[in-house]
Amino acid sequence: MTDETALQNLYDRAAAAHMQPLWVNTKGYVPREPAPAIVTAHWPADTSIPLLRRAGEIVSSEFADRRVLVCNNPALPPFSPTTQTLYACIQLLLPGEKAAPHRHSQNALRFILQGEGADTIVNDKPVRLRRGDVVITPAWAWHGHVNTSNNDMVWIDGLDNAVLKLFDATFFELPPHTGEIANEVVGPANTGFDPDWHFKWHDTETLLREQQASGDPDAAHGCRRRLLDPKTNSDPLPTIAAHMTLLPEGFRGQSYRSSDSVIYVVMSGEGRTTCEGEVIDWKEGDIFTIPTWKRYSHQASSEAVLFSISDRAAQEKLRCWREQRGDGPVQIFGLSG
Ligand code: GTQ
């Protein structure tokens, strides 16, 4: 047997045994850098809101359970997430409507885009929702929504379903009286809602304005607050980091990249984000996403407020999060400074 023949014979026998030699395609197993499957993508409000409103006319909240349109990354098959880890979904709850309670192992949060006066009920505690608010719904917390106001409510749900799917640890449950309770599930008493997990727009805006008044905006991100639990100074959810950003009028951000793919939601204002040749001109209600490790920069033609979520919270725990500003050094979380 020549060496070549012996090698091929080894590879064939390994393949038949569902094994691969690591040395044949090492980079297939250990890439040098991220090679995201997702693409930069944009869901303009001019398209998404009319679709959601049409759903409001012809699909009842009872029928849909959640009247939600999911932002699927165009590079992924249907029913896929927005990034490789997170979902951004846009939900409409009309006056008088309810979304029945349930709970699941996915972590979620809501960012209110339009309306005020509905409640999301987290573990029996009603949380009154207003435009600009962020409400955290941690894994396995009961949650439902009730709109007793006269206002149409539109909000963005952020969820980490794709992380749970990666772990194959997805669980979902309806309350006992609906008859679809799982076998008895015993877990930590998950009662009460932590008021610190309701980030009210009024408070966020005050903090952003203080930051704006106190001096230089961040070169890449303008004035920006990470929405942290003040008791622990950490992200309320284990996987999702959330930020609110205020870009002053005329802001031209430095180029930036990080190992977390980011979903942005435009709360107000207009501007442009450029990501490696892709140009996204955005305005109020738009959603867009930036893949992992792609260089991007923001410009604001008017003062603008952006809400964003990413899997940075999980990446920091896994010690893989890194960032780079302009052509500066790459900073690795937990290893630099
Ligand atoms: O409102 O509870 O967009 O459970 C996806 C799953 C919203 C919700 C979504 C959900 C919800």
Side-chain angles (χ1 to χ4, degrees):
M1 243 194 257
T2 65
D3 281 359
E4 276 303 311
T5 315
L7 264 180
Q8 195 53 54
N9 181 266
L10 171 66
Y11 296 165
D12 291 346
R13 284 166 54 208
H18 306 287
M19 303 183 86
Q20 280 289 336
L22 179 62
W23 64 87
V24 169
N25 178 19
T26 310
K27 287 182 186 169
Y29 293 99
V30 192
R32 296 293 187 264
E33 291 216 334
I38 66 157
V39 290
T40 306
H42 182 200
W43 293 267
D46 286 346
T47 306
S48 64
I49 300 285
L51 286 170
L52 190 65
R53 296 221 166 259
R54 182 64 182 141
E57 289 165 3
I58 64 175
V59 180
S60 70
S61 61
E62 290 81 18
F63 176 80
D65 184 48
R66 300 296 193 260
R67 190 190 290 109
V68 162
L69 293 176
V70 181
C71 296
N72 298 131
N73 193 278
L76 303 177
F79 309 109
S80 291
T82 313
T83 68
Q84 74 285 2
T85 49
L86 302 186
Y87 279 82
C89 307
I90 180 161
Q91 179 158 177
L92 174 66
L93 195 68
L94 294 168
E97 287 187 333
K98 281 185 195 158
H102 65 209
R103 62 179 176 175
H104 39 64
S105 49
Q106 290 92 352
N107 292 282
L109 52 73
R110 280 158 245 298
F111 168 68
I112 313 306
L113 203 54
Q114 293 176 12
E116 81 169 68
D119 296 299
T120 191
I121 297 165
V122 187
N123 283 335
D124 294 334
K125 166 84 169 60
V127 183
R128 182 53 55 98
L129 304 173
R130 282 181 199 85
R131 176 174 146 78
D133 287 3
V134 176
V135 180
I136 305 292
T137 308
W140 215 238
W142 293 107
H143 56 281
H145 319 299
V146 183
N147 189 358
T148 52
S149 81
N150 295 319
N151 307 312
D152 298 357
M153 298 291 302
V154 176
W155 66 71
I156 308 296
D157 302 299
L159 297 109
D160 65 358
N161 297 34
V163 179
L164 276 291
K165 187 169 176 177
L166 176 66
F167 291 141
D168 261 335
T170 299
F171 296 91
F172 174 92
E173 194 177 71
L174 293 172
H177 64 269
T178 62
E180 206 198 285
I181 192 163
N183 294 328
E184 190 184 0
V185 175
V186 180
N190 192 356
T191 53
F193 176 75
D194 188 334
D196 283 336
W197 291 9
H198 179 196
F199 298 89
K200 296 182 179 145
W201 168 241
H202 174 77
D203 299 333
T204 308
E205 186 182 21
T206 303
L207 293 165
L208 288 171
R209 294 278 173 219
E210 277 170 23
Q211 212 182 87
Q212 187 179 28
S214 75
D216 301 336
D218 179 274
H221 301 297
C223 306
R224 189 165 84 140
R225 299 263 328 166
R226 190 164 175 172
L227 303 181
L228 299 176
D229 183 329
K231 292 184 295 303
T232 58
N233 215 33
S234 60
D235 304 287
L237 296 176
T239 45
I240 308 177
H243 287 85
M244 292 290 283
T245 296
L246 181 120
L247 303 177
E249 182 177 346
F251 180 79
R252 295 179 72 87
Q254 181 192 30
S255 151
Y256 176 85
R257 63 175 175 170
S258 58
S259 60
D260 53 327
S261 46
V262 185
I263 300 168
Y264 283 96
V265 181
V266 183
M267 178 173 162
S268 61
E270 291 187 20
R272 166 175 289 190
T273 297
T274 309
C275 178
E276 302 201 352
E278 305 269 343
V279 175
I280 299 169
D281 285 311
W282 44 256
K283 60 184 167 61
E284 185 172 326
D286 285 13
I287 301 172
F288 62 94
T289 188
I290 304 289
T292 295
W293 212 232
K294 299 263 188 227
R295 288 193 170 84
Y296 66 99
S297 58
H298 299 307
Q299 294 175 27
S301 43
S302 67
E303 179 180 89
V305 177
L306 306 177
F307 168 71
S308 61
I309 54 171
S310 82
D311 54 23
R312 177 173 167 178
Q315 289 200 24
E316 289 181 353
K317 291 178 184 72
L318 297 171
R319 299 200 168 266
C320 60
W321 189 77
R322 57 177 69 193
E323 65 177 341
Q324 185 179 25
R325 289 161 180 279
D327 297 323
V330 173
Q331 304 277 344
I332 304 178
F333 179 80
L335 294 182
S336 357

